[in-house]
Amino acid sequence: MVSLRRIARRVGRVAAIAARGDKAFAAAVKKVAKDPVVRSALRAGARVTSRRNLLRAARVAARAGAKPLRETVRVAATAASFVPGVGTGVAAALGAAEALASGKRISDVVLAAARNAVPGGPAARAAFDFAAGLARGEKVTAAALKSARAHLPGGAAARAAFDAGLAIGRGKRLQDAVVAAAGRALPASPYVATATRFVRSVATGSKIPDAALSAAGKQLIGKIERRGIDLGAVARGKQKPPDEE
């Protein structure tokens, strides 16, 4: 049997902890629970799944090579937020907000740059502005957002712009809340796309979960999927990790 020390030398400390099982991994996360990234990811994940399932997904990400420890939890929370079957755009864009909020600070300058990246002319930019304004304003139900999206003029380009504006607006609001609570924005994640890149990807037809990931994030998720694992399904308790089946 390969020793844990040898595993650690081969694939890193985080993967070595993950190899010990759910309890050991959960204990390691608990030790860093005051880290703002971990705290934010756990809070985000709690909206869509149980902590136990979230940490199981984080352990899967760790065994696939995600590191450091806090990034495994953030990747799991991001994957958990993309719930299938709820319709393109509205609910998915709200999930993407958590991923965007985990990246570099979404300032008004970044928001403007993202808006300018939207193809489709004035109608698409108006849809982006409308959705971003809704996301940063009063609470709006998913049904109301879905209705607003369905009645946009401008076709597919406007709907894509709406999705992007909604996600970034929510991401900015989440970041503002983090700054108010912790005094600073969360550090950028190596697995999450920038706001501007996210907009360009969505506007050119990428699915929102794909658009929210950086190249490293897509590589990580691809590696997990090649093992027959849906990280989001694990995070939501719909699939067991291979070592528990």
Side-chain angles (χ1 to χ4, degrees), residues 56-224:
R56 279 182 170 176
R59 188 166 78 87
V60 169
R63 298 194 74 175
K67 58 183 180 180
L69 186 64
R70 67 185 187 182
E71 292 301 335
T72 68
V73 183
R74 183 148 63 173
V75 166
T78 300
S81 69
F82 300 120
V83 183
V86 293
T88 303
V90 179
L94 298 181
E98 194 67 42
L100 292 168
S102 298
K104 293 182 180 179
R105 184 88 173 106
I106 302 176
S107 65
D108 289 338
V109 173
V110 173
L111 191 66
R115 178 184 184 274
N116 290 335
V118 174
R125 287 192 292 274
F128 180 95
D129 292 342
F130 175 57
L134 284 177
R136 294 169 63 186
E138 296 298 320
K139 185 176 180 179
V140 182
T141 67
L145 289 172
K146 186 174 182 179
S147 176
R149 182 181 186 273
H151 291 88
L152 287 172
R159 288 192 293 273
F162 180 92
D163 295 343
L166 184 63
I168 291 179
R170 280 293 172 92
K172 182 173 173 62
R173 193 169 75 176
L174 284 168
Q175 285 193 328
D176 289 342
V178 170
V179 171
R184 60 187 176 87
L186 297 179
S189 170
Y191 302 111
V192 175
T194 64
T196 304
R197 184 174 295 277
F198 170 81
V199 170
R200 287 175 177 161
S201 297
V202 171
T204 54
S206 295
K207 294 181 179 179
I208 287 178
D210 293 334
L213 298 172
S214 66
K218 291 176 183 177
Q219 185 176 20
L220 175 70
I221 296 300
K223 185 176 181 180
I224 293 171

